[in-house]
Amino acid sequence: MKKRLTLLWRKLNSLEFGKDVVLVPYYLGQALGYQTEICCGYSEKVAELIPTLSKKGLTFTKKPLGHNPYLRIPIYIKYLFQNASHIDLLMCFHWKLETLINILLYKLLNKHGQVYVKLDTSSGQEWDLTRHTFLGKTLRKILYTNCLKNVDVLSCETSQAYNFLCNNSVFSKPMRQKLVLMPNAFDEEEFATSGISELEFQQKENLIITVGRLGSPQKNTEMILDALECIELKAWKFILIGPIEEKFHQAIEHFYQKHPEKKEQIIFIGKVNSKKDLWEWYNRAKVFVCTSRWESYGIVLNEAKRFKNYIISTNVGGAADLIEQEKYGSFIKQEDSTDLNRLLSLIVNGAINIDIYQDYDVKQLSYQREINVLLKYLQ
């Protein structure tokens, strides 16, 4: 009988089939040869998607798990009492109360079981105890230390978080022994079945794209519109992809009223539901823009690099690791539309080289490769 990997998750949404929530346990289970289960809540709509969107061999165990952590904890406790002895590897996301309870209870019920925690953190600051009172520091230090003893491996997604946790936190010693840097990665298995014909730089169009929840405070789409007000795009187009926040429609209308001549070159196409269709936009584009105010990682940046887009981004999430000291793109300052305008103008006028991926192997970004850093701790 195969060994069993179980991820305890909250309520699953349809987008998470293509994100680390599903892909990390899937590829880790595949690498270990384990049966993989995700214990989570999900709607009837998501239930209908499981047969078509799920990976082969993944099992989804439905429980009444939602977004309230205090309501989730008793469900996790009951589940572990019933199943801990049959779970060989327990996986959890985020370092928070429910994770700590799950770790301690699981190890109490299954001393030989292993534990992997994906921290999903941009900076590791949730481990910084200086923000708490003396009592809060003391209790957290005891609890965190005890839990860390029961964890086999942890991973974080950015070098910023890794460096802080291994060198500047109270828990640096155990972190240096158990923490690995494992960025979020690309689903090459899905790409292989997509039928997309990958384009070389010379085959790409003069397209600049951005992808995200347009108009949300996090994505700062207004910075893009500000930058595009006073620019002549010439033979280029700027495509904005993603669901549009209700309140942002007015900003778009105002922009087109001021600049009706830009409607043909600055285009909002809305939400793209198909992963293949979304990837085709990256495939066709030469440049990707991210103006986010914050990101835990920024999977869109990973996708942009996978399709060899020149990346222009604020320094958020995994941007620094992916751009690699501006080898594969350029940084822009937060809230600085003038800086973005300057860079876009240079690109449109051919003043900087954006064909910069000649010797880059995109398979470096695959989950099959990234997941290997965990294996020496789990075999």
Side-chain angles (χ1 to χ4, degrees):
M1 184 179 291
K2 279 188 174 183
K3 289 186 175 182
R4 176 172 160 189
L5 183 165
T6 294
L7 165 65
L8 296 181
W9 186 240
R10 51 182 184 239
K11 190 169 185 179
L12 186 75
N13 67 53
S14 59
L15 293 176
E16 287 166 342
F17 286 102
K19 293 186 176 182
D20 53 344
V21 172
V22 170
L23 296 177
V24 170
Y26 168 72
Y27 278 107
L28 180 56
Q30 192 180 67
L32 292 169
Y34 286 12
Q35 174 187 338
T36 304
E37 167 200 34
I38 299 176
C39 176
C40 58
Y42 50 83
S43 66
E44 289 303 315
K45 184 178 178 181
V46 169
E48 293 171 5
L49 295 173
I50 287 176
T52 55
L53 294 182
S54 176
K55 296 288 193 180
K56 185 179 178 182
L58 268 183
T59 301
F60 292 85
T61 301
K62 187 175 184 180
K63 295 292 175 183
L65 292 160
H67 296 288
N68 185 324
Y70 298 106
L71 295 178
R72 289 198 297 263
I73 289 171
I75 297 169
Y76 292 141
I77 290 172
K78 181 180 178 181
Y79 185 77
L80 287 171
F81 267 111
Q82 294 172 340
N83 295 277
S85 61
H86 307 298
I87 297 171
D88 298 283
L89 172 58
L90 181 72
M91 179 179 171
C92 301
F93 270 74
H94 311 123
W95 195 256
K96 52 191 178 183
L97 180 61
E98 64 194 66
T99 299
L100 308 184
I101 292 171
N102 290 339
I103 291 168
L104 294 175
L105 179 59
Y106 171 69
K107 291 298 286 186
L108 182 67
L109 298 169
N110 185 351
K111 292 180 181 179
H112 301 292
Q114 292 188 298
V115 176
Y116 161 47
V117 180
K118 189 176 191 295
L119 294 179
D120 194 26
T121 179
S122 60
S123 63
Q125 291 304 309
E126 63 267 44
W127 293 77
D128 182 5
L129 301 186
T130 60
R131 301 174 298 164
H132 301 286
T133 64
F134 175 77
L135 181 60
K137 288 180 194 175
T138 304
L139 291 175
R140 281 176 173 80
K141 188 171 182 180
I142 294 169
L143 182 57
Y144 287 13
T145 300
N146 194 22
C147 284
L148 280 170
K149 288 177 182 176
N150 287 286
V151 173
D152 293 273
V153 61
L154 308 96
S155 70
C156 64
E157 295 71 29
T158 69
S159 57
Q160 180 188 0
Y162 183 81
N163 290 333
F164 171 75
L165 291 170
C166 286
N167 300 307
N168 298 305
S169 78
V170 175
F171 308 97
S172 292
K173 186 175 180 180
M175 284 296 182
R176 284 194 290 269
Q177 296 171 344
K178 296 185 176 184
L179 180 68
V180 298
L181 175 60
M182 191 185 83
N184 287 323
F186 187 82
D187 188 359
E188 286 292 339
E189 189 179 279
E190 179 73 13
F191 177 75
T193 64
S194 69
I196 294 173
S197 179
E198 208 165 342
L199 300 176
E200 297 297 325
F201 180 82
Q202 294 74 17
Q203 299 172 295
K204 288 174 173 279
E205 302 170 41
N206 287 338
L207 291 182
I208 305 164
I209 67 169
T210 190
V211 177
R213 299 183 316 281
L214 305 175
S216 67
Q218 179 187 1
K219 300 302 179 181
N220 196 9
T221 317
E222 57 268 30
M223 180 173 160
I224 293 174
L225 289 188
D226 288 345
L228 293 173
E229 276 207 88
C230 304
I231 190 171
E232 175 56 58
L233 286 173
K234 298 185 177 179
W236 287 74
K237 289 184 178 180
F238 199 116
I239 309 295
L240 297 99
I241 303 163
I244 302 170
E245 298 281 306
E246 190 62 37
K247 61 186 179 183
F248 197 64
H249 284 283
Q250 189 174 350
I252 297 170
E253 289 174 19
H254 180 67
F255 179 85
Y256 285 141
Q257 284 170 2
K258 282 182 70 178
H259 307 284
E261 75 284 359
K262 294 184 181 290
K263 276 191 174 182
E264 300 300 315
Q265 288 182 292
I266 299 168
I267 304 165
F268 289 81
I269 66 164
K271 185 178 180 182
V272 176
N273 291 310
S274 163
K275 179 65 77 173
K276 178 183 176 181
D277 292 343
L278 178 61
W279 283 349
E280 282 287 18
W281 279 109
Y282 289 106
N283 195 30
R284 292 165 57 190
K286 290 180 179 176
V287 179
F288 181 87
V289 173
C290 170
T291 51
S292 292
R293 292 184 169 102
W294 71 89
E295 294 282 351
S296 60
Y297 182 74
I299 291 174
V300 291
L301 294 166
N302 180 281
E303 292 178 319
K305 190 169 184 179
R306 171 59 182 78
F307 288 99
K308 300 181 179 180
N309 296 171
Y310 185 89
I311 300 171
I312 298 174
S313 180
T314 47
N315 193 358
V316 293
D321 295 332
L322 291 165
I323 293 175
E324 296 182 35
Q325 297 182 321
E326 299 196 298
K327 182 178 181 180
Y328 298 108
S330 298
F331 288 112
I332 46 174
K333 299 169 187 174
Q334 288 283 0
E335 312 294 342
D336 193 341
S337 57
T338 303
D339 197 26
L340 176 56
N341 176 287
R342 176 187 64 83
L343 271 170
L344 293 177
S345 297
L346 289 172
I347 288 169
V348 166
N349 290 300
I352 56 174
N353 176 35
I354 57 172
D355 181 12
I356 34 75
Y357 286 97
Q358 291 88 348
D359 300 320
Y360 186 73
D361 178 10
V362 295
K363 297 296 173 65
Q364 292 180 47
L365 299 170
S366 70
Y367 271 109
Q368 288 98 324
R369 180 183 181 277
E370 296 291 1
I371 218 81
N372 286 331
V373 297
L374 300 174
L375 300 185
K376 68 177 182 178
Y377 297 88
L378 298 173
Q379 290 182 330

